[in-house]
Amino acid sequence: MIDVNFLVRNKTLGKPKKSYRDLKATYLNRIRWAVSLFYFSTGLCFATWASRIPAIKTALHLSNGQLGTILFALPVGQLTMMYFSGKLVTRFGSHRILMFSVLLYAYSLTNLGLATNAWQLGLGLYILGIFANLSNIAVNTQGVYTESLFKRNIMSTFHGVWSLAGFSGAMLGIGMSIVKISTYSHFLMVAALVVLFVAFNFNYLIKAKKSMPQLKEKGFRKRDVSLILLGIIGFCSMASEGIMFDWSGVYFKDIVKAPISLVGLGYTSFMIMMASGRFFGDGLINRFGRKRVMQISGVLISLGFFTAVLFPYIIPSTIAFMVIGLGVSTIVPTLYSIAGKHPTIPTGEALTAVSSISFLGFLMGPPVIGYIAELFGLRYSFGFIGIFGFAIALMVSKIKAVE
């Protein structure tokens, strides 16, 4: 599993320089830092692309409709890879797949800066989606392995690092735009940074494979009910998250009637609380248990949506979006942690099963909101999604694996 013979290198005249406990803690923390930087790299690549979408839209003279169609290529690439990611991670090891996929993720990012027309951008996004999904499964497999070494919940912190990378990438993108750095040069600099992260941290990834009994089912292996329920919980959570990404600004503009300068306040408040919740979520889980924290999280999601619907004003809606961010912050990391420890299914494949169902929520949630809003109004559509939080709290109480 992990080479612990590093202790031999820390002896002087037959006596260790540090106690075994100190050396072990130092080594484990280095592993945690390495895995965290891989999470940061994947988040940075995604946020870097997102930060330059307006510039690329202008450069390629794309209409809103054309851009919307092209953007769909990225999730299509992710869906294409979902079936294969878990199998590749299981066969070749998450440490190898993670290094390979993150490097190609960064390389694919740079290609987007070279696109000169719509079809090239669409193809580039499709390829980016493939390596984004492969990186996601591999890095979360490493996260599960690392968490098992610490014997306490740390998965939310890893996802908090991903969110922090999202903020960093967005701020860097704004800075690059202000000083008029070209999109390709921007992407190339980020890719170079990712290469450095990989080079200095690859040797600290966990080189482990789980030995699992051979299952007779061919194709997509038979999943037990618990994984399906975990995926449905993830669907509800990621649908709520996706709606915040795509519709929070529209809600503040059309329903809250916020000034133009404050239209982004809802999204910003949501993101801040989601990132913050991930950093202190592990402590809450270790203290109160996964089941209680996830039930409370589901209630918070519903409370936030219903508050925004009943009190569509700047201050109440801002607070409501903060509550939603806090609610969704720990759910997906906790689901990955539970699924990754499945006793009979390899970690990568269990994560693929749960993330596949969950990701459908991220894809389907925003369009469904649009259809409901078209028929009944945006406030009613937000009220409909608010039900998902209570559904999460109810389903969590039915799954023994969450105990």
Side-chain angles (χ1 to χ4, degrees), residues 276-297:
S276 300
R278 285 176 170 172
F279 279 112
F280 62 74
D282 286 321
L284 294 175
I285 292 172
N286 290 324
R287 181 173 181 180
F288 299 107
R290 292 180 297 199
K291 182 175 182 179
R292 183 175 298 178
V293 171
M294 290 183 70
Q295 287 175 324
I296 293 174
S297 296

Side-chain angles (χ1 to χ4, degrees), residues 6 61 128 156 196 259 335 351 369:
F6 66 94
H61 308 290
L128 188 76
S156 289
L196 288 177
L335 294 176
L351 289 173
I369 281 290

Side-chain angles (χ1 to χ4, degrees), residues 1-4 27 145 148-149 205-210:
M1 286 284 289
I2 301 175
D3 177 19
V4 293
Y27 192 64
Y145 288 161
S148 67
L149 294 178
L205 293 179
I206 299 175
K207 302 170 181 63
K209 290 184 180 180
K210 283 193 174 182

Side-chain angles (χ1 to χ4, degrees), residues 17 73 79 85 100 119 195 197 201 210 263 341 361 364 380 401:
K17 297 178 182 178
L79 286 171
S85 294
F100 166 80
W119 76 264
V195 170
F197 285 154
N201 293 281
K210 283 193 174 182
V263 166
K341 299 183 176 88
M364 297 173 59
Y380 285 100

Side-chain angles (χ1 to χ4, degrees), residues 146-162:
T146 306
E147 185 177 63
S148 67
L149 294 178
F150 281 81
K151 302 187 187 305
R152 67 177 187 271
N153 293 288
I154 60 173
M155 185 64 81
S156 289
T157 303
F158 285 141
H159 284 252
V161 171
W162 193 96

Side-chain angles (χ1 to χ4, degrees), residues 49-252:
W49 146 247
S51 71
R52 298 307 291 263
I53 290 176
I56 292 176
K57 177 178 181 291
T58 300
L60 300 185
H61 308 290
L62 301 173
S63 66
N64 290 332
Q66 288 174 322
L67 178 63
T69 301
I70 292 170
L71 290 179
F72 196 64
L74 193 149
V76 169
Q78 291 179 309
L79 286 171
T80 300
M81 198 62 192
M82 274 185 177
Y83 176 79
F84 304 100
S85 294
K87 296 180 181 297
L88 290 172
V89 167
T90 301
R91 181 172 181 179
F92 298 105
S94 58
H95 60 292
R96 295 190 184 94
I97 295 298
L98 182 56
M99 181 190 69
F100 166 80
S101 60
V102 168
L103 289 176
L104 289 179
Y105 194 5
Y107 176 71
S108 302
L109 174 68
T110 64
N111 287 338
L112 299 179
L114 296 175
T116 58
N117 53 53
W119 76 264
Q120 290 177 349
L121 180 61
L123 178 61
L125 285 174
Y126 178 79
I127 296 172
L128 188 76
I130 288 176
F131 293 116
N133 180 262
L134 191 57
S135 299
N136 175 58
I137 299 302
V139 77
N140 278 293
T141 300
Q142 282 288 313
V144 170
Y145 288 161
T146 306
E147 185 177 63
S148 67
L149 294 178
F150 281 81
K151 302 187 187 305
R152 67 177 187 271
N153 293 288
I154 60 173
M155 185 64 81
S156 289
T157 303
F158 285 141
H159 284 252
V161 171
W162 193 96
S163 298
L164 180 62
F167 279 120
S168 302
M171 294 300 101
L172 181 61
I174 292 173
M176 291 290 183
S177 298
I178 291 175
V179 298
K180 300 188 184 304
I181 299 294
S182 71
T183 301
Y184 178 68
S185 297
H186 175 194
F187 291 175
L188 198 61
M189 285 186 278
V190 169
L193 181 62
V194 170
V195 170
L196 288 177
F197 285 154
V198 172
F200 286 101
N201 293 281
F202 170 70
N203 286 332
Y204 292 93
L205 293 179
I206 299 175
K207 302 170 181 63
K209 290 184 180 180
K210 283 193 174 182
S211 178
M212 296 293 178
Q214 295 294 320
L215 301 181
K216 295 182 179 180
E217 291 81 359
K218 296 182 179 180
F220 197 68
R221 289 179 177 177
K222 185 178 180 181
R223 311 295 182 185
D224 63 19
V225 177
S226 66
L227 286 183
I228 296 174
L229 287 176
L230 290 176
I232 295 173
I233 292 172
F235 178 98
C236 294
S237 178
M238 292 196 75
S240 303
E241 186 177 334
I243 286 157
M244 287 291 101
F245 282 129
D246 292 355
W247 287 96
S248 58
V250 178
Y251 195 87
F252 259 60

